[in-house]
Structure formats: structure tokens, C-alpha cells
Amino acid sequence: MGAKGFFISKAVGVVGIVLGAGAVATIIALSVVYSQEKAKTDAPVAPTDGTGTTLPTVPTPAPSNEPWDKYRLPESLVPETYTVTLHPRLIPDPITKLYIFTGTSHVVFKCVKETQLILIHSNKLNYTKALNGFLATLTTEGGGAPAPAIKSSGLVEKTQYLVLQLSDSLVKDQKYKLSTTFTGELADDLGGFYRSEYLENGVKKIVATTQMQPTDARKAFPCFDEPAMKAIFHITLVHAHGTRALSNGMETGTTDQTIDGMSVQVTTFEPTKKMSTYLLAFIVSDFGFIQTTLEGVLIRIFARKAAIDANQGEYALSVTGPILKFFENYYNATYPLPKSDQIALPDFNAGAMENWGLITYRETALLYDAKYSSNSNKERIASIISHELAHMWFGNLVTLRWWNDLWLNEGFASYVEYLGADHAEPSWGVKDLTVLSDIHRVFAVDALASSHPLSSKAEDIQRPEQISELFDAISYSKGAAVLRMLSGFLTEDLFKKGLSTYLNKFAYGNTVYTDLWDHLQMAVDESGKPLPGRVHDIMNTWVLQMGFPVITIDTATGLVTQKHFLLDPESNVEASPYNYEWIVPITWMKTNINQPSIWLTKKSDTRVEMKVISGQWVLANLDTVGYYRVNYDMANWESLLNALTSNHQDIPKINRAQLIDDAFNLARAKEISTILALRTTQYLTKETEYMPWESALDNLDFFYLMFDRSEVLGPMQAYLLKQVTPLFDHFRILTVDWTIIPPGHMDQYNQVNAIGKACSTGLPQCQTLVQGWFTSWMDNPAVNPIEPNLRSTVYCSAIAAGGAKEWDFAWDQFLKASIATEAEKLRAALACTKEPWLLNRYLEYTLNPSLIRKQDATSTIVYIASNVVGQPLAWDFIRDRWSYIFNQYGGGSFSFSNLINGVTERFSSKFELQQLEQFKKDNEAVGFGSGTLAVEQAIERTKANMMWISENKQQVLKWFVDNTLP
Ligand code: BES
Ligand code: ZN
């Protein structure tokens, strides 16, 4: 293949053209759309001029540094309005068999700096030559001298531009209009303008839909595809009779027209507000919908007709209004649009996308049916709706200038999603769950030397893969955690005040993250609240350096110190501008300590007066509002363990969960002994609350990963069986022998833990119970007797205990499922079988999109890898097919790092490390895309696991044996 990245190997139709720029010919790589399904080849291919005509091959040029070689747009042109008409064809071309869309676009932009060059993003679009012989026409807009003539036009594949060279300069402050006509493929690739398919009464149906974030609007029409290039969009969609078109704005009318001899419908929309390209959405479908209005805002839920007819949209419709009102109040800003549409799509890569006014979801994230859906499915719907609605202001109305600040956008929505969901479902207590799903989740990666700071430099984030890589646990969960801490120490009132002035000031504009700090500071100044520094200075220590501190409290001396918490204390970390010192708000349990809360600003300068009576304890980081771990002197640990065994309710439940999580992780970092960590689980025989149990099970999962192929497993299972049996009995009684559902949301979760763990550790009563349910369902498939909350765990237990008969039955039910959440439960449970041949067959299914949707492929492989029998099979499978998987499935943003993490999480031997390093080497050329960092993390994790096992195995084995003796 030619110079790296110049001829892109992906597509057959990748080409180059000659731009007549003086003596030196400038070569530009092009891509043609009708190439997707063809075989991939590494050979250089014939160039075209962007209209489908083949030109002679051009030799590979020397690397150049022209404006079109840069990924960022030059600062010369600013778009104002776009008028875009798109016509997706929902039936394939009879000859090529491809689905395509056609379009025209007119973009009016202002020249703010003289230039002879127009660069506008365009990816995989094929242009029709205009009368001038070029790929676009240019005219002056709003009077003024005629526009300069176009001298050359072409497409750059690598940096995804349409490039126009002009015979003369554009004039500063003059407006111009650029017009194009183009076609693109409506591929099933889940990005840009793409197609989704489903069966309805045996008939294949096609939906045309979009996913633009972060950089795929350029795949639908030529645009200045950067978040700061806000403009107003006038959208028109052409579609077949019997279908409906949706976009960000409200439909203003639909007329019948004849285009190319075809009778079609043409739907126009209200022009949008001034907005970023990544928030656009265009959809054509024959979906059904339900609607309501709330204080003048139209709220609609769209989905497949069968789903709407089965009332699966009702729950989403019922929570949207209240959550929208909650955010209007929280932000002190009215919802800026006249309508809020939400649509469930059969094929969708992420969970949901906050397109302004037309939010897209995967079906499991929006559709609910009490007959099939669990409380967990319901909570996911409430919180994901809340997350996306939060973006309508934070992100959409006010947008970060560049992707390097993505963490603030996603972190913010990930924090406030709990507040909105809590407003819709106040009895659930969901706000607490951020501790498990965000803080514990991200502590695990942020304690590695391969972590990274929240904030990146704008110049370090250029290529689309670099942008995609930012959608990680650090941006989402650490972002959420530090904002929750900030709101905690400012008070929610001040936080809201600053937020509201920020949103008002920058409405329809762009910001950098420090603009938010400035507005919070104004609120602080006005209130006179004392802080140890400016918001800016405090937050910099959390945002500009990676990791987090462990606070050590010595109750004997009253000394409180901090240090960088690293899972591997020996690892080398890069230098930090703050020398791994944080400004830490420390809260206490009120007993035993004089000050209610303190600030720790240096590594070791703080002494607190403690009046610790022997046997009494100190507890810091109340409700885990702070993003840090806490360690204590041994005497205090002993008192805390005592408190857990004698009166665990004295310690708030979040902190019980936190003590367990801190202990296990401090042990992994060798700050305390592993035995001390294990001792935090002894009191669980008396614990019935979900949060501490979940925290313990999550941490013990690491023990399973490390030991489930070793002699430790038996004694460990015996210990856990002993611990979980009282919980199983508790729920048996609470549910009157499994006949009623526990009333509390968290109790419902913990019931699942009780059954799941009791069955997997071999409690005969549990196994009989769940196998009985499953057999009864197999005997009469029309009646599923398993309560929806319990289905995931019951299906998994039964399939694990069963063979091909159970597996095939579940697969059949998967194919027949009428709601996506039911299919999802079965898809996960199918990975639970212990039969290698079934697992290998299932692995093959994952890459067959007619069996497993593309959106679900990587997560299915991860499910299989989480099974101890499936793990080596999954690892062989992805090693064998990496380049295929990467090319077919590499587009997804989260899924790639999840895949790498998933298949490598058990790695803990020298051989596995070698294999991993070999894998990295073998695939250097193919690459890992958004999973690049995950490969590094996997290597680091494997080394740490090897160390941990060698240091802990014997004592852990002995402890489990000793602690199961009667
Ligand atoms: N903006 C994202 C969706 C997205 C993610 C687009 C990655 C492109 C790449 C959206 O707001 C989001 O964060 N969705 C989450 C759900 C949320 C509840 C964490 C998702 O899709 O999982
Ligand atoms: Zn988001």
C-alpha cells in the first residue's frame, strides 16, 4: 500500500485526483460510496474525481502540510445557514443492490479571513458535477461583487474534506453560498445517515436514521463539522408515501411531488435554532407514535408500530414531561424548543443520542413493558431519558468549543441524570447508585498508571478516533464524580446559581470548561461562602491531573494525609503539574470528631483533634461525596469492623459499601492486608441492603476472575454460600416463598443478588427453584412463569446447568422476543452455558448480523468471555478475526474498549501477558481504534494481577478454608 494513510485500504473505490495547483500536482485521496460491501484490499486503487469516473493511478506523493492535511478547519469561514434536502431510498438499487440517499445542500457562510481555499467536511459522499465542471458552485450571498471562480475541486479521504481552490480571494465579511448535489450509501454501519432493518409480520422494513456525533454529519452532507461551527439548518426530507419524516425541527408540512418520475412526499421542517452539526437528526420510517403536550411543548415517543401498539412507549412518555420540568427548574431556563421527540431504533450503536429535539435510543433504552421488563430496565430508561434531556441545555444550548472538553459535557449529564431520574421516581433512591456505577467503576481505571487526566489539550485531540476515545469511563464517570463533589462542597443551591448564569450567558454559543468555573465562582463570591481557594484552583487539581488521592487518617495522632492512590504502587507515573496533590474536601461522621468538615490542601499538613475513645470509630467521606478513598490506622479499622458486626446500621449504607470497596482496593495496593479486606465481608450474614452487598460482590468478582481456574475456587464458593444463605432466606420470607415482588427498588435488586449468588455457589434449594421455573417455561412456552426482575439471573443459571436443549430453547425465544429487553436478557444468558461447542457456535453467530445485530456483536463476545469456559474461546476468536472485527465493528465508540477489557479481564499469567503483547504487536498495522488505551490498560492490569496472585493466593485460600469451618 502507498504512503501510510494516503491511500486508505478500506474501500475499493479509494482514489486520488490531481488538483492543478501550479507546477506541483497536489494529490488528494478520494472515496466513492459504492464500495462498502466489496472485499477489502490493501492495494492502491484507481483514483476518481469524486463523481464515480475512474482516472489513471497517480503515484504516491511526498507528505505535504497543506491546509487539507490538517484535521481542524482553518479559521477563515463561518457557516450561518444550511438548506439541505435529503432523499433516502428505502428500497435497494435494482442493479447495485445498494441502499443510497441523494441530496442537495446550500450553505451560506461568511468569510472572516481572506482565503483562496474552501475546506468543508465531506466523507464517503459522491458528488454530481455542476455545470461549471466542479463538485460545487459558489455564489455571492446578500449583494456584493461576484464570487471568485472555482479553479479546482476534489475530495480528501484522510482528513475528510471537500476542497475547492479559488481563482481569487474571498472577501472578508462577505457572505457566500456553496451549493452541492451528492449521493451517499445508506449503509447498515450505524454512523452518519444509515439504515436500520427489522421484521414486521414477516416483512422486512427499513428505517433511514442518523448518528452524527462526533464526526459523521459529514457523511450525510458537506458541512463545517466542528461543534463551534453553529448554524441554522433548514431541512427538507423526501420520502415514500406511507412513511413519516422527522428531524430536529417540527414538521411544517408535507406535499406530494414527482421526482425522477416517482411520486413522493416532501416534508419540510421549522428551521432549527443555532446549533452544532453533531446534534442533527434525520429519520424516515413508518413507525407509530404516542404524544402528549406539557405547557406548550409537544412530547412524542416513536417506535416500531408493534411496540407502540403493545404500549411499550407509555413509560417513557410518562416520565419525559416531569423530567423536562425538573431540568427547567434546575437550570432556571425554559426548554428552548417547541417539541421533544424520542425514538427507539432497532439498530443503534450507543445507548442514546441527544440530537436537539429528536433524541434517538436503542430499543432497550426507551421501550418498557411491565410483563417483560425488569426494574433495572425501567431504571435504565428513566436515567437515560434524564441524561439526554439534561443535554438539551448543557451541551446543546451551550456547547463546549472542542471535543477535548467532552468530559464536562458527558460528565455533567452523567451527574445530573440521577437528579432527573430521582425526580421522576422519588421512591427508588437512585441518587445513591452513582457511587456504585460511576465512582467505583472509574476508581478501578483511574488508579492505574495508564489513566489520563479529565482534561485534554485541544491540539492533542484531532483525528476522529482520538475524539471517539474520549467517550470513556474517565469522561463519563470521573466527570460525574468530580461535579457531584463540587456541587457537594458548594451546596446544590450555589451550584445551580452558577450553572444558570452560565447557561444564560452562553446560550446558542460555545464555551471552554473554565467558563463554568467562572460562573460558579461568581455565585460563590456573591454568597460569601469561604473556600480554601478559587473554584478554578480547587478543580484544577482534579481536572488537570489523573488519578485521585487516598486519605489516611491516624486516629492516634489526629494526622490526616493524602497520597496518589495507585493499584500498583511501584508503577511509574508521569509528572503532574500539581505533583499529585489535591485540594480535598473531607467530611466526617459527626461522632468523635470536633470539626464538621475540613479541607486538606497539602500532602501532610493537617492535624485534626479527635477524641477517640477506645472502641469508638471515625468515618470519613460521608456518603462518598468526595472522589477519594480513605484509609485508617489499624485500631480504627478494628473498631469499624466491630461496628459492622455488632451494629452495622450505625454506619450509613453508602459508607458500608464504601468501606468494603476501599478495603479491597487498599489491599490490592498493599496499603492494608487482603485478610482485612475479606473480613469486611464477614458481617454480610446480617446485611440485607443492596449497596453493601453489591459492593462486596463486585469486589469478590475480582477474586473469581483470579481464582476460578484454581484450587481456591472450592473454598471460596463454600464461604460465599455460607454468607449468602441468610440473604436467600430473607428474600424467601419477604416474598412469601417467591410469590410476591419486594416493594423496594433496591430490595428488588438485592433479591436478584441473593438468587444469583445462592444458585452459583450451589445452594440446592435455589437451583431446584430456578430450574423448576425454567422447565415449566420450556414445557409451556406460551406462559413464562419467571418474574421479569429475576429473568436474567434465572435464565443464566438454568442455561449454565443445562445443555443444548435449554440453549436451543432460549435461542428460539431470543429470535421470537417481542420486546428488546427480553431479547437482551436471553442474549446475555446464552453466554452462560458451560458447553464449549455451544459457546463456539454462539461466537460464530456474533459476527452474523442476521443473527446478532451489529450493535450487539461486541457486547455478546464480552458476555461469552465473562464465562470461565468461554473466556479462552473468545480470546482465540478475536485474535483470529481482529482485522475483520475491527473493520466491521470498529465504528462504535464505547464498544471497542469494552471488548478489549472484557476478553482480557481474567489475564493473570505470564503466558497470557505474552499473548497480549503478541496480539498488540501483530495488529499494529490494523490498529485498535478507540480501544488503543484499553490495550495498554490490559497489559498493565495483567502484570498487576500476576503480582497479586503470587502474593495472595496461599493466604486467601487458607482464609476461605478457615472461615467455612462450621
Ligand atoms: N452523546 C452520547 C451518545 C454518544 C456516545 C454518541 C458515544 C457518540 C459516541 C449520549 O449522551 C450518551 O452519553 N449516551 C449514553 C447513555 C448515558 C445514560 C450514559 C450511552 O449511549 O450509553
Ligand atoms: Zn451524554
Side-chain angles (χ1 to χ4, degrees):
M1 134 165 180
K4 212 172 171 190
F6 207 86
F7 286 111
I8 307 289
S9 60
K10 244 183 163 172
V12 176
V14 173
V15 284
I17 68 153
V18 180
L19 270 184
V24 188
T26 306
I27 315 297
I28 292 182
L30 297 176
S31 99
V32 176
V33 88
Y34 305 100
S35 57
Q36 303 281 300
E37 331 269 6
K38 306 266 173 58
K40 307 286 182 270
T41 166
D42 272 0
V45 286
T48 77
D49 60 0
T51 64
T53 325
T54 301
L55 300 179
T57 309
V58 192
T60 305
S64 62
N65 196 22
E66 301 289 354
W68 50 81
D69 295 323
K70 302 194 172 79
Y71 287 89
R72 293 297 306 271
L73 289 165
E75 282 168 7
S76 40
L77 309 176
V78 177
E80 293 193 344
T81 61
Y82 291 80
T83 305
V84 179
T85 301
L86 292 169
H87 181 184
R89 315 298 164 96
L90 304 190
I91 28 185
D93 181 284
I95 298 157
T96 63
K97 302 276 185 273
L98 292 175
Y99 291 84
I100 64 156
F101 62 92
T102 54
T104 58
S105 168
H106 307 276
V107 51
V108 173
F109 61 84
K110 190 166 164 180
C111 170
V112 294
K113 216 163 100 194
E114 258 190 27
T115 177
Q116 294 203 21
L117 186 69
I118 296 175
L119 291 187
I120 185 166
H121 286 111
S122 172
N123 185 21
K124 299 192 173 139
L125 295 175
N126 192 22
Y127 289 81
T128 307
K129 267 188 195 162
L131 291 175
N132 62 10
F134 296 107
L135 305 185
T137 59
L138 184 70
T139 53
T140 304
E141 181 77 4
I150 297 175
K151 217 164 63 175
S152 72
S153 65
L155 296 164
V156 184
E157 157 115 1
K158 184 174 144 226
T159 47
Q160 306 178 341
Y161 286 123
L162 163 61
V163 182
L164 304 165
Q165 290 189 320
L166 308 176
S167 58
D168 207 345
S169 287
L170 297 175
V171 178
K172 186 165 180 288
D173 295 331
Q174 173 69 51
K175 291 182 192 175
Y176 299 91
K177 180 157 81 183
L178 182 76
S179 304
T180 49
T181 301
F182 48 88
T183 66
E185 188 187 346
L186 198 66
D188 59 350
D189 58 358
L190 307 166
F193 207 7
Y194 72 92
R195 81 175 190 280
S196 172
E197 302 182 350
Y198 62 98
L199 282 179
E200 192 169 82
N201 305 321
V203 179
K204 178 158 127 180
K205 296 277 181 124
I206 306 290
V207 179
T209 185
T210 52
Q211 169 59 42
M212 307 306 201
Q213 195 186 21
T215 58
D216 278 336
R218 63 190 71 168
K219 234 172 125 230
F221 66 103
C223 55
F224 297 92
D225 198 10
E226 293 193 358
M229 294 290 184
K230 289 194 174 187
I232 290 168
F233 296 84
H234 300 257
I235 305 298
T236 301
L237 293 175
V238 182
H239 52 107
H241 289 276
T243 61
R244 171 190 297 274
L246 295 170
S247 187
N248 305 80
M250 187 61 198
E251 306 92 280
T252 47
T254 300
T255 57
D256 291 350
Q257 286 183 24
T258 305
I259 294 179
D260 298 340
M262 242 190 303
S263 166
V264 292
Q265 297 200 296
V266 176
T267 298
T268 49
F269 300 89
E270 286 281 355
T272 66
K273 305 275 186 207
K274 202 174 167 203
M275 65 182 282
S276 307
T277 48
Y278 80 89
L279 294 168
L280 290 167
F282 319 127
I283 302 179
V284 174
S285 74
D286 77 344
F287 280 5
F289 72 102
I290 47 176
Q291 68 173 56
T292 179
T293 49
L294 184 68
E295 293 168 26
V297 177
L298 175 66
I299 299 172
R300 298 185 292 190
I301 306 288
F302 291 86
R304 288 180 290 108
K305 280 197 183 109
I308 291 296
D309 291 345
N311 299 324
Q312 293 174 9
E314 297 293 340
Y315 180 67
L317 189 67
S318 76
V319 293
T320 299
I323 295 176
L324 214 50
K325 285 289 135 191
F326 170 82
F327 283 119
E328 287 194 331
N329 175 49
Y330 185 76
Y331 293 132
N332 189 24
T334 45
Y335 179 69
L337 308 179
K339 64 111 168 161
S340 169
D341 285 338
Q342 298 178 97
I343 186 164
L345 296 160
D347 298 281
F348 191 77
N349 215 0
M353 175 64 212
E354 71 267 27
N355 314 299
W356 214 6
L358 175 52
I359 308 176
T360 43
Y361 293 83
R362 50 166 72 194
E363 290 193 352
T364 49
L366 194 68
L367 303 179
Y368 176 83
D369 185 330
K371 280 204 304 296
Y372 299 96
S373 310
S374 63
N375 66 320
S376 155
N377 296 144
K378 195 173 189 179
E379 186 195 310
R380 170 117 201 271
I381 294 167
S383 41
I384 201 159
I385 289 177
S386 177
H387 178 107
E388 307 309 337
L389 290 178
H391 278 310
M392 299 298 115
W393 293 259
F394 202 102
N396 298 7
L397 177 64
V398 179
T399 310
L400 274 320
R401 192 180 295 157
W402 182 243
W403 298 111
N404 62 312
D405 281 342
L406 177 84
W407 72 271
L408 184 59
N409 191 26
E410 291 305 347
F412 186 89
S414 299
Y415 165 50
V416 300
E417 70 178 63
Y418 292 97
L419 311 186
D422 181 61
H423 178 81
E425 297 284 0
S427 70
W428 289 354
V430 285
K431 285 202 259 182
D432 297 350
L433 293 180
T434 190
V435 172
L436 296 172
S437 1
D438 292 305
I439 300 189
H440 290 183
R441 165 180 181 234
V442 72
F443 268 170
V445 287
D446 206 18
L448 300 176
S450 56
S451 188
H452 60 90
L454 273 171
S455 184
S456 313
K457 291 206 195 86
E459 58 270 27
D460 291 343
I461 306 300
Q462 304 255 350
R463 285 177 279 114
E465 316 84 86
Q466 292 173 322
I467 298 169
S468 291
E469 210 175 2
L470 291 174
F471 290 83
D472 68 356
I474 298 288
S475 295
Y476 277 80
S477 293
K478 184 176 182 175
V482 303
L483 290 167
R484 174 168 170 268
M485 175 169 71
L486 172 61
S487 175
F489 71 72
L490 290 181
T491 70
E492 187 171 296
D493 236 31
L494 281 190
F495 188 77
K496 276 174 16 186
K497 265 200 193 110
L499 188 59
S500 161
T501 61
Y502 165 88
L503 291 172
N504 274 304
K505 165 100 189 269
F506 297 106
Y508 306 105
N510 291 85
T511 55
V512 290
Y513 75 91
T514 50
D515 290 324
L516 179 60
W517 299 168
D518 290 343
H519 281 260
L520 293 171
Q521 187 64 46
M522 288 184 232
V524 170
D525 292 344
E526 212 179 291
S527 76
K529 185 180 178 66
L531 287 177
R534 295 184 314 136
V535 170
H536 204 101
D537 300 325
I538 299 170
M539 292 312 286
N540 273 353
T541 68
W542 299 95
V543 165
L544 297 181
Q545 61 187 349
M546 69 172 188
F548 56 91
V550 50
I551 308 301
T552 303
I553 296 167
D554 186 335
T555 55
T557 61
L559 201 64
V560 183
T561 56
Q562 59 164 300
K563 82 172 182 203
H564 184 189
F565 180 81
L566 283 167
L567 263 191
D568 174 4
E570 252 97 80
S571 53
N572 290 323
V573 293
E574 54 192 60
S576 151
Y578 296 88
N579 196 19
Y580 294 106
E581 217 168 49
W582 287 264
I583 303 184
V584 193
I586 300 188
T587 51
W588 316 90
M589 191 86 177
K590 282 181 278 297
T591 46
N592 299 329
I593 288 221
N594 299 339
Q595 297 97 319
S597 61
I598 61 161
W599 284 92
L600 186 58
T601 55
K602 286 276 170 304
K603 280 188 177 157
S604 61
D605 64 347
T606 304
R607 205 172 280 277
V608 179
E609 214 185 298
M610 298 182 187
K611 37 172 191 187
V612 182
I613 308 153
S614 151
Q616 291 238 21
W617 44 266
V618 164
L619 182 93
N621 202 6
L622 256 192
D623 289 341
T624 317
V625 175
Y627 185 64
Y628 54 86
R629 294 197 181 281
V630 187
N631 193 4
Y632 305 93
D633 57 289
M634 262 322 285
N636 197 61
W637 271 115
E638 290 295 343
S639 309
L640 285 166
L641 285 177
N642 257 332
L644 286 179
T645 357
S646 52
N647 255 325
H648 64 268
Q649 269 106 344
D650 287 355
I651 298 172
K653 59 178 185 285
I654 299 183
N655 282 100
R656 303 206 292 275
Q658 192 57 42
L659 277 174
I660 295 169
D661 194 65
D662 280 346
F664 272 91
N665 286 281
L666 288 165
R668 282 176 66 183
K670 295 190 237 176
E671 298 281 338
I672 64 172
S673 76
T674 302
I675 301 307
L676 177 56
L678 284 168
R679 287 172 61 204
T680 63
T681 67
Q682 281 173 313
Y683 92 101
L684 289 174
T685 47
K686 291 203 202 117
E687 180 66 272
T688 56
E689 283 285 349
Y690 169 67
M691 297 260 308
W693 260 107
E694 184 63 28
S695 176
L697 294 176
D698 288 347
N699 281 291
L700 287 164
D701 268 345
F702 172 69
F703 282 58
Y704 275 102
L705 291 174
M706 294 303 103
F707 295 136
D708 63 5
R709 297 171 290 175
S710 84
E711 71 272 28
V712 183
L713 184 67
M716 177 160 129
Q717 289 279 71
Y719 172 71
L720 279 166
L721 172 62
K722 185 181 122 208
Q723 296 306 89
V724 82
T725 302
L727 191 69
F728 184 82
D729 290 335
H730 166 81
F731 280 107
R732 183 174 45 75
I733 294 160
L734 188 69
T735 61
V736 196
D737 266 318
W738 319 106
T739 57
I740 60 163
I741 301 170
H745 184 67
M746 298 293 163
D747 284 339
Q748 294 175 22
Y749 280 149
N750 215 24
Q751 183 194 11
V752 175
N753 279 338
I755 293 184
K757 206 70 254 155
C759 278
S760 73
T761 53
L763 185 70
Q765 229 189 323
C766 179
Q767 293 176 335
T768 315
L769 180 73
V770 309
Q771 282 161 32
W773 283 333
F774 197 80
T775 312
S776 136
W777 186 32
M778 281 176 72
D779 291 345
N780 182 6
V783 184
N784 184 340
I786 311 160
E787 204 268 294
N789 289 343
L790 306 180
R791 283 185 188 175
S792 290
T793 189
V794 170
Y795 294 172
C796 180
S797 300
I799 289 171
K805 194 163 135 247
E806 285 74 15
W807 201 96
D808 290 340
F809 172 77
W811 175 255
D812 194 42
Q813 295 301 317
F814 166 76
L815 295 176
K816 284 192 194 133
S818 63
I819 181 161
T821 49
E822 178 69 10
E824 172 92 7
K825 293 181 180 87
L826 289 159
R827 185 167 61 83
L830 287 165
C832 296
T833 176
K834 302 290 175 201
E835 298 280 354
W837 72 275
L838 290 174
L839 290 165
N840 268 332
R841 187 177 69 177
Y842 197 24
L843 280 167
E844 294 295 336
Y845 289 4
T846 63
L847 298 186
N848 179 346
S850 65
L851 298 177
I852 299 286
R853 286 180 186 274
K854 274 185 144 182
Q855 62 172 13
D856 298 325
T858 54
S859 69
T860 308
I861 299 173
V862 171
Y863 288 144
I864 295 170
S866 72
N867 174 342
V868 61
V869 183
Q871 195 275 324
L873 310 177
W875 172 233
D876 286 349
F877 184 77
I878 73 149
R879 279 192 292 173
D880 190 34
R881 325 266 172 109
W882 184 254
S883 120
Y884 181 77
I885 296 176
F886 185 77
N887 288 314
Q888 288 292 311
Y889 298 87
S893 293
F894 314 102
S895 60
F896 253 58
S897 48
N898 290 347
L899 179 62
I900 307 250
N901 288 333
V903 293
T904 61
E905 67 176 353
R906 252 188 204 82
F907 283 10
S908 50
S909 73
K910 177 169 96 212
F911 304 108
E912 285 160 338
L913 179 64
Q914 278 164 4
Q915 289 180 3
L916 190 53
E917 281 168 339
Q918 190 65 39
F919 172 64
K920 181 183 162 192
K921 212 158 97 206
D922 290 347
N923 291 292
E924 234 144 45
V926 181
F928 301 94
S930 58
T932 309
L933 188 60
V935 175
E936 294 310 318
Q937 287 167 342
I939 291 175
E940 190 183 343
R941 209 170 345 99
T942 305
K943 290 183 187 159
N945 290 347
M946 285 163 61
M947 286 274 286
W948 187 85
I949 290 185
S950 72
E951 284 162 13
N952 287 284
K953 189 169 171 182
Q954 288 318 314
Q955 51 165 340
V956 167
L957 176 61
K958 180 169 185 306
W959 191 87
F960 281 133
V961 171
D962 292 348
N963 281 275
T964 36
L965 300 175

